[in-house]
């Protein structure tokens, strides 16, 4: 497989133990997610100080590679990607817990979808509904209002209403 140079950074290299410039590369990789073969871009670092066994990953890079694989699966199945879920949350000015509360879900659900778990179609549909329809988000806020303190509920309501005004203008 052909490696593509992404960037060069200076770091403490765990391979040779020295602080120096290492290269971040990417190549196509394959993994299995939900019994299905998935192709994705996998990134890794290369230590220029050694010739053999010079490739390595950091914990952050491992997590990014997992998200890349999951997002490839999501795209293949028409599901929102991690970044799209984050965008929905940020659009309304919500924390992960607040988005979960808005939707009436468990507090850790959004955190899992933004980091390691793949949502099923019904959860994806709920996320798309509030993404595409601020009125629905407002209705859910009213329905699940007991999950929010009043001051925060008012802020969230204002954020949603501002999106409503944008939709009405367009």
């Amino acid at each position: 497989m052909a490696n593509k140079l992404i960037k060069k950074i200076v770091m403490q290299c765990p391979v040779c133990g020295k602080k120096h410039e290492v290269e971040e590369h990417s190549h196509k990789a394959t993994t299995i997610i939900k019994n299905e073969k998935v192709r994705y871009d996998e990134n890794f670092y290369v230590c220029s100080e050694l010739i053999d066994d010079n490739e390595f990953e950091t914990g952050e890079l491992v997590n990014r590679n997992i998200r890349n694989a999951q997002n490839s699966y999501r795209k293949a199945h028409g599901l929102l990607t991690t970044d799209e879920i984050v965008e929905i949350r940020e659009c309304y000015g919500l924390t992960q817990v607040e988005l979960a509360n808005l939707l009436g879900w468990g507090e850790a659900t959004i955190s899992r979808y933004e980091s390691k778990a793949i949502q099923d179609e019904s959860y994806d549909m709920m996320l798309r509904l509030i993404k595409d329809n601020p009125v629905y988000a407002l209705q859910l806020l009213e329905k699940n209002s007991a999950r929010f303190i009043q001051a925060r509920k008012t802020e969230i309501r204002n954020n949603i209403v501002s999106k409503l005004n944008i939709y009405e203008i367009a």
Side-chain angles (χ1 to χ4, degrees), residues 150-168:
Q150 186 59 44
R152 190 63 185 128
K153 179 185 165 193
T154 300
E155 286 178 43
I156 294 167
R157 180 180 233 299
N158 290 340
N159 290 343
I160 295 171
V161 168
S162 74
K163 300 303 174 204
L164 271 174
N165 293 336
I166 291 170
Y167 278 76
E168 289 173 6

Side-chain angles (χ1 to χ4, degrees), residues 88 92 94 99-105 122-145 148 156-157 160-161 163-164 167-168:
I88 293 167
Y92 292 122
L94 301 169
L99 179 54
N101 285 338
L102 177 79
L103 293 162
W105 299 348
S122 61
Y123 280 72
D124 194 76
M125 186 181 305
M126 291 288 293
L127 288 163
R128 285 179 189 278
L129 282 170
I130 66 164
K131 174 184 179 233
D132 298 335
N133 187 349
V135 171
Y136 188 62
L138 199 55
Q139 290 170 341
L140 285 174
L141 180 63
E142 294 307 315
K143 178 182 180 210
N144 296 309
S145 64
F148 298 91
I156 294 167
R157 180 180 233 299
I160 295 171
V161 168
K163 300 303 174 204
L164 271 174
Y167 278 76
E168 289 173 6

Side-chain angles (χ1 to χ4, degrees), residues 36 70-81 84 118-121 124-125 128:
E36 190 174 311
Q70 291 169 330
N71 284 333
S72 289
Y73 177 91
R74 286 178 167 120
K75 287 176 186 175
H77 291 273
L79 300 172
L80 293 165
T81 65
E84 290 169 323
I118 298 173
Q119 71 276 20
D120 63 26
E121 287 184 29
D124 194 76
M125 186 181 305
R128 285 179 189 278

Side-chain angles (χ1 to χ4, degrees), residues 81-92 114 131:
T81 65
T82 300
D83 291 339
E84 290 169 323
I85 294 169
V86 170
E87 285 173 17
I88 293 167
R89 182 171 56 76
E90 290 176 347
C91 170
Y92 292 122
E114 288 184 12
K131 174 184 179 233

Side-chain angles (χ1 to χ4, degrees), residues 5 7 12 14 38 47 52 55 86 109-110 121 128-129 142 145 160 167:
L5 176 64
K7 65 183 175 184
Q12 185 70 35
V38 176
C47 170
D52 294 324
E55 296 179 2
V86 170
T109 303
I110 298 300
E121 287 184 29
R128 285 179 189 278
L129 282 170
E142 294 307 315
S145 64
I160 295 171
Y167 278 76

